[in-house]
Amino acid sequence: FELFQLPARFDVDMETLDSAYREVQGRVHPDRFVNASDAEKRVAMQWATRANEAHQTLKNPMLRARYLCELNGVDLQTESNTAMPLDFLMEQMELREALSDARAAKDAGALDELDARIRGERKPRLAQVGKLLDAGDYRQAAQGVRALMFLDKFGDELHYAFEALES
């Protein structure tokens, strides 16, 4: 956020972000340092890389949400904290069972239905996480981010199931 002079908020104006990114890249792009010393070229490359990484983080809503939590001292503990509300975990079990059934039956229609369900569930959850982040409730937002990570992982498995049908 600081690199692009943007407020540290979930709600980011993408045009402003892209414009700030282009402005930073215009100043630090390695092509501008062709005749510079090796040290200056290396620094320019580091800044360009940092700008690329920052842009990708802020452009992606999930990465932006994770970053905002971490920036505000909330460790998502993605490896060690898998505690989720019981109803959410039950829903995940149902989804996985439905995915397993659809894979076994090679049922593209069922996979499409699961995909639509996940997309439909993900959008309001992401909006809620954004509201929590912009309200400063980083701990509750972190719980929402972890739930979204479950959904994203399921979405990846669903994608692999579609690929398996196509092959």
Side-chain angles (χ1 to χ4, degrees):
F1 292 103
E2 190 176 314
L3 179 63
F4 300 128
Q5 299 177 358
L6 296 171
R9 297 182 43 82
F10 182 79
D11 186 24
V12 172
D13 180 317
M14 289 300 141
E15 287 182 28
T16 303
L17 171 62
D18 290 342
S19 175
Y21 169 70
R22 285 190 301 274
E23 192 274 324
V24 169
Q25 277 292 29
R27 283 187 281 134
V28 301
H29 196 278
D31 289 350
R32 294 193 62 170
F33 294 85
V34 172
N35 296 321
S37 70
D38 286 343
E40 290 170 321
K41 288 178 185 176
R42 195 169 33 259
V43 169
M45 181 61 78
Q46 289 170 344
W47 275 104
T49 300
R50 182 173 181 222
N52 285 334
E53 290 171 355
H55 184 249
Q56 291 306 311
T57 297
L58 297 183
K59 195 169 183 160
N60 180 303
M62 272 297 289
L63 295 177
R64 187 169 63 248
R66 291 180 73 163
Y67 178 66
L68 279 165
C69 287
E70 292 165 2
L71 188 64
N72 288 282
V74 178
D75 182 359
L76 293 175
Q77 302 171 333
T78 55
E79 301 301 321
S80 61
N81 185 356
T82 56
M84 298 297 292
L86 185 58
D87 60 332
F88 180 80
L89 292 175
M90 293 300 292
E91 181 183 359
Q92 296 306 298
M93 287 174 52
E94 290 171 13
L95 285 169
R96 292 191 184 290
E97 186 174 315
L99 176 59
S100 179
D101 291 347
R103 275 184 173 151
K106 298 185 181 196
D107 186 346
L111 292 176
D112 284 333
E113 287 176 21
L114 285 170
D115 186 49
R117 181 175 168 186
I118 290 298
R119 288 175 192 267
E121 188 173 327
R122 191 179 184 285
K123 188 174 183 177
R125 281 187 183 271
L126 186 59
Q128 179 62 27
V129 165
K131 287 178 186 173
L132 290 167
L133 288 167
D134 287 348
D137 190 349
Y138 303 106
R139 294 214 179 280
Q140 191 65 35
Q143 182 76 4
V145 169
R146 284 193 296 274
L148 284 164
M149 290 170 66
F150 272 84
L151 294 176
D152 286 352
K153 183 175 181 187
F154 183 82
D156 290 344
E157 292 174 26
L158 194 53
H159 175 76
Y160 298 137
F162 276 117
E163 285 181 350
L165 281 182
E166 293 173 3
S167 59

